[in-house]
Amino acid sequence: MAGRIRDVDIALVRERSPIADVIGEHIQLRNAGGGNLKGLCPFHDEKSPSFNVTPERGMYFCFGCAEGGDVITFVEKIEHLSFHESVERLAQRAGIQLQYEQGGYVPKRDQGERARLIEAHKAAAEFYVERLFSPEAAPGRRFLSERGFERADAELFGVGYAPNEWEALTRHLLGRGFTAQEIVKGGLAKEGRRGPIDRFRGRLIWPIRDATGDVIGFGARKLLDSDDGPKYLNTPESPLYKKSQVLYGIDLAKREISKRSQAVIVEGYTDVMACYLAGVPTAVATCGTSFGEEHIKILRRFLLDQSAATGEVIFTFDGDAAGQKAALRAFADEQKFVTQTYVAVQADGLDPCDLRVKQGDAAVRDLVASREPLFQFAIRSTISRYDLRTNEGKIAALDAAAPIVAGIKDTGLRKRYAIDLDRWLGFMDERFVIQRIAEVGGAQVARRQRAPQAALAEPHVRVEGELLKLAVQRPALVGPRFDALDAGAFTTPEHAAIHSVITAAGGAVAGGPGGREWVDRLLEQAPDETVRGLVTKFAVEAIKADAEVEQRYGTELLAAVEGIAVDRAIAQVKSRLQRLNPVEEPEEHRRLFGELLGLERQRKALREGAVGG
């Protein structure tokens, strides 16, 4: 094993790995004001962005799921790596040669498992590309040519060829220093009777990349009649490749998806290529599995899905029964997007690749442009199965479509589709249709109406939180006056914990202007991961005041928190006075009454400078 990575190298990795750039490779970030960035959290499903990034302090925090940390933490979480492996991955990205305290430069074989597997897949992809132009690969080149793809297109997508040999890739990778165990574990080979043999043989190969552009698997198309395997064969599940979390083409499409707020879902590798080359660069495809919840999460990060519902997710399906069935399956997950979801159906059954070959690039663009709202498609596809010439058929169609309409969460949209359904069925009786929908889908509506609303935090808790954010982010603004506050001034355990950490780090006076070094010092003083998470949260959350007025804002917050403490003291004194008999204990009564008057004067003075009290 390699030794411990030197602290100076870890610091250098953080310095040369801008957090906004690293996170921006996984999700779309937008300006949130005050130097902060915001996007949809990659660690939990959400409809409005609560994931905040603060480049100034090199931190991120999600206010929805409480995940937070620095750039190394992010790579650990998003890539499921150890701290050691995350530093190595970022070092490789930044071109930094790491040194270890127990043995100088680390050889490649001692790198983390993921980094090793990524390197093996990169080498395999290069091997396949080189073989595409060998005489043996002629059937593969013919396959591409017949589908309208030229050499430059194949090079753009990294298409290659797997030789029809048992151990061609395996020998190549072993010669490059990879072990048989690594090659098998990555899914590039499988165990044979005498050792590992190539998983893909005599097939056209597409590299499957993650959002950062790393090759994590392959898709292979059968070319030879002698091949008794499936038409398409994908990499098996591996430490790199999880098919439910992979979208082919996302590496090329992600920026256009963010820019256009549009994602087009197609069914195969050649469809992605055809769309891209035809002027639809937002196309992606699933790899050997149906479109599901994990794929939704990936897309929503790049769409920056928000309540404005301005984005588009467009599913392309064949116009036959199987295609309609696939579209209806997609309907079940539709409302996990806030974006508007559509279906683009080619009536003659041509997929985008065949459509481009037969009718040209414009036809592919027209297919996407002719999209139909998914709700509309689902409802009309359902009622098309019934004979609408009879009352019995109309009622049966209404009852079949009613749960779809009742399941639409948006009240206004639900009503509009109820009216459309009445028109499509030919009843011309909106009240009857709406009532029938309510009867059939009543349980769904009732559940929706019972959804609880989130409670707002108490005003004094919000004020405490704002003051603590200043102490973490701009300690010089609150300085000695903050340090003079007693721990009892903070009313929640979380706030008291942050106050204790700041005190242990030397108080706000020790923080100076703040910044990354101050936050690091606070993190060092945190007693456990829970409190570290709280520090990160307070380091990232936006201050609710412009930079020009932060000084005054800090003074007002200090006055407010001091005032809250005085209010509690007043309440305690009043409670003791109420329990006293002034006749039996006149001295104590006079003393407490005098204390109360002093506290009241103090409260009045503080309120003149407080906010939010």
Side-chain angles (χ1 to χ4, degrees), residues 111-398:
Q111 293 178 9
E113 177 185 85
R114 181 184 172 86
R116 290 285 294 163
L117 295 182
I118 289 289
E119 285 297 316
H121 278 72
K122 179 181 178 183
E126 293 169 350
F127 172 85
Y128 290 139
V129 166
E130 290 173 0
R131 299 308 186 277
L132 180 61
F133 301 100
S134 66
E136 180 194 349
R141 296 194 298 275
R142 184 164 57 250
F143 176 95
L144 293 171
S145 178
E146 289 171 351
R147 284 154 182 79
F149 302 124
E150 300 176 356
R151 178 168 182 161
D153 306 329
E155 291 174 349
L156 174 63
F157 284 88
V159 183
Y161 176 76
N164 190 26
E165 301 174 33
W166 290 105
E167 301 168 355
L169 177 66
T170 299
R171 285 195 306 271
H172 176 76
L173 293 179
L174 290 173
R176 293 283 297 271
F178 297 100
T179 67
Q181 182 181 7
E182 288 172 332
I183 298 168
V184 172
K185 192 165 190 177
L188 299 167
K190 56 187 178 181
E191 290 291 354
R193 287 186 228 174
R194 302 179 190 173
I197 58 174
D198 293 357
R199 180 168 295 276
F200 307 118
R201 301 185 301 276
R203 287 176 174 253
L204 200 59
I205 301 289
W206 282 265
I208 300 170
R209 297 184 172 92
D210 64 13
T212 68
D214 284 334
V215 178
I216 57 174
F218 296 94
R221 210 280 187 186
K222 180 167 72 173
L223 297 171
L224 307 174
D225 293 336
S226 58
D227 188 339
D228 58 0
K231 180 184 290 188
Y232 281 95
L233 182 64
N234 291 334
T235 293
E237 295 280 307
S238 76
L240 298 183
Y241 184 81
K242 312 291 183 188
K243 64 182 179 182
S244 65
Q245 301 172 14
V246 173
L247 285 170
Y248 175 72
I250 192 67
D251 57 311
L252 290 177
K254 63 181 182 181
R255 299 202 182 280
E256 286 298 321
I257 288 173
S258 296
K259 181 179 176 181
R260 304 186 185 202
S261 291
Q262 178 200 77
V264 177
I265 315 300
V266 297
E267 294 190 330
Y269 308 120
T270 56
D271 293 330
V272 170
M273 294 176 67
C275 285
Y276 188 93
L277 297 170
V280 183
T282 57
V284 293
T286 59
C287 300
T289 186
S290 58
F291 189 86
E293 188 169 347
E294 292 300 318
H295 300 119
I296 290 174
K297 291 179 182 179
I298 294 170
L299 284 182
R300 292 188 70 244
R301 296 172 204 156
F302 294 107
L303 287 165
L304 199 64
D305 208 3
Q306 297 189 56
S307 57
T310 54
E312 294 182 350
V313 175
I314 304 169
F315 293 90
T316 63
F317 298 105
D318 294 344
D320 58 16
Q324 290 194 11
K325 186 176 180 181
L328 290 173
R329 278 200 308 271
F331 170 82
D333 284 323
E334 191 278 340
Q335 291 179 94
K336 291 177 181 173
F337 286 111
V338 178
T339 51
Q340 300 176 67
T341 313
Y342 296 86
V343 173
V345 177
Q346 183 65 21
D348 56 13
L350 294 177
D351 59 33
C353 181
D354 291 337
L355 183 63
R356 178 173 178 261
V357 171
K358 295 188 176 182
Q359 300 182 31
D361 291 348
V364 176
R365 296 193 296 271
D366 289 345
L367 169 64
V368 174
S370 68
R371 65 201 183 282
E372 177 182 9
L374 184 53
F375 282 133
Q376 176 177 310
F377 178 85
I379 295 167
R380 299 199 73 158
S381 295
T382 298
I383 66 176
S384 68
R385 301 196 299 264
Y386 298 88
D387 183 358
L388 302 184
R389 295 171 298 180
T390 67
N391 288 330
E392 290 81 2
K394 289 180 181 180
I395 291 293
L398 172 56

Side-chain angles (χ1 to χ4, degrees), residues 3-24:
R4 181 177 179 274
I5 302 173
R6 299 188 311 168
D7 289 342
V8 66
D9 283 359
I10 295 173
L12 184 62
V13 165
R14 284 196 179 101
E15 179 185 332
R16 294 190 184 175
S17 303
I19 194 166
D21 293 349
V22 174
I23 293 179

Side-chain angles (χ1 to χ4, degrees), residues 470-550:
L470 279 180
V472 171
Q473 297 182 29
R474 304 281 188 269
L477 297 181
V478 295
R481 192 171 168 185
F482 176 89
D483 294 338
L485 290 171
D486 185 82
F490 298 94
T491 57
T492 71
E494 293 83 4
H495 290 173
I498 296 296
H499 176 268
S500 297
V501 166
I502 294 170
T503 301
V509 292
R516 180 58 191 264
E517 290 184 5
W518 172 237
V519 173
D520 285 345
R521 196 185 315 175
L522 295 178
L523 289 170
E524 289 174 4
Q525 295 298 328
D528 53 45
E529 286 304 314
T530 300
V531 179
R532 285 178 62 87
L534 290 171
V535 172
T536 302
K537 172 185 174 183
F538 280 87
V540 171
E541 188 170 14
I543 295 171
K544 297 177 181 177
D546 294 334
E548 296 78 17
V549 299
E550 281 183 356

Side-chain angles (χ1 to χ4, degrees), residues 381-503:
S381 295
T382 298
I383 66 176
S384 68
R385 301 196 299 264
Y386 298 88
D387 183 358
L388 302 184
R389 295 171 298 180
T390 67
N391 288 330
E392 290 81 2
K394 289 180 181 180
I395 291 293
L398 172 56
D399 288 349
I404 298 175
V405 180
I408 299 174
K409 295 177 183 177
D410 185 286
T411 305
L413 196 61
R414 187 166 66 247
K415 184 175 180 181
R416 292 310 311 171
Y417 274 112
I419 294 171
D420 284 343
L421 179 57
D422 171 56
R423 177 166 53 86
W424 294 332
L425 294 174
F427 282 116
M428 308 309 290
D429 188 346
E430 293 175 6
R431 182 177 297 179
F432 166 73
V433 170
I434 291 172
Q435 181 180 349
R436 190 82 171 191
I437 289 170
E439 291 172 357
V440 174
Q444 298 171 6
V445 175
R447 283 195 298 271
R448 189 163 48 244
Q449 291 173 338
R450 288 196 297 267
Q453 294 185 348
L456 295 176
E458 292 291 331
H460 71 274
V461 176
R462 292 200 299 270
V463 172
E464 291 175 17
E466 282 296 296
L467 178 59
L468 287 166
K469 277 190 286 183
L470 279 180
V472 171
Q473 297 182 29
R474 304 281 188 269
L477 297 181
V478 295
R481 192 171 168 185
F482 176 89
D483 294 338
L485 290 171
D486 185 82
F490 298 94
T491 57
T492 71
E494 293 83 4
H495 290 173
I498 296 296
H499 176 268
S500 297
V501 166
I502 294 170
T503 301

